[in-house]
Amino acid sequence: MAHPAIDFEGAGGVDLDRLERSLTLEGRRVGEGRYHVVGGDHDHWVDLYTTSIPRCDCGDHLWRDRICKHILAALLREGNDTVVRALGSLFERVRSAA
Ligand SMILES: [Zn+2]
């Protein structure tokens, strides 16, 4: 299985606020590592493996160079270990805020 062309360290890691928002999105798999992500203000297209185009076509990723909620939604559906483990951090944060 191909490895997602994503530099987690360079992008500042998994942002927990974005991860939380990504959980309400719907990721429709349309191909190898390709997702149509709906449920937010706008629909977006994610491509995890092709390096010739940006991973997502949203402004958060294109302009701020962040791992956006759409990419996180796609990575969750791919079972990406880094993102799944970040869910643990998210739950810890929720628990400590309660
Ligand atoms: Zn995006």
Side-chain angles (χ1 to χ4, degrees):
M1 189 175 170
H3 201 70
I6 290 166
D7 176 6
F8 283 102
E9 304 235 328
V14 175
D15 179 75
L16 295 184
D17 292 326
R18 286 178 175 85
L19 181 60
E20 188 176 349
R21 290 196 293 274
S22 82
L23 296 176
T24 63
L25 299 173
E26 182 187 339
R28 297 171 180 162
R29 193 175 189 275
V30 293
E32 186 66 34
R34 295 183 62 237
Y35 286 85
H36 184 208
V37 181
V38 301
D41 293 340
H42 303 280
D43 295 2
H44 286 286
W45 294 89
V46 172
D47 193 324
L48 297 173
Y49 301 122
T50 307
T51 52
S52 56
I53 57 168
R55 303 281 73 71
C56 183
D57 60 356
C58 78
D60 193 33
H61 182 62
L62 292 177
W63 303 329
R64 285 195 282 272
D65 213 20
R66 298 288 95 176
I67 299 175
C68 64
K69 61 184 177 183
H70 315 102
I71 294 175
L72 291 172
L75 287 171
L76 275 174
R77 281 156 184 82
E78 293 282 295
N80 181 271
D81 196 53
T82 302
V83 180
V84 170
R85 274 188 285 122
L87 280 177
S89 305
L90 182 59
F91 279 114
E92 261 173 42
R93 188 178 75 168
V94 170
R95 199 180 296 135
S96 66

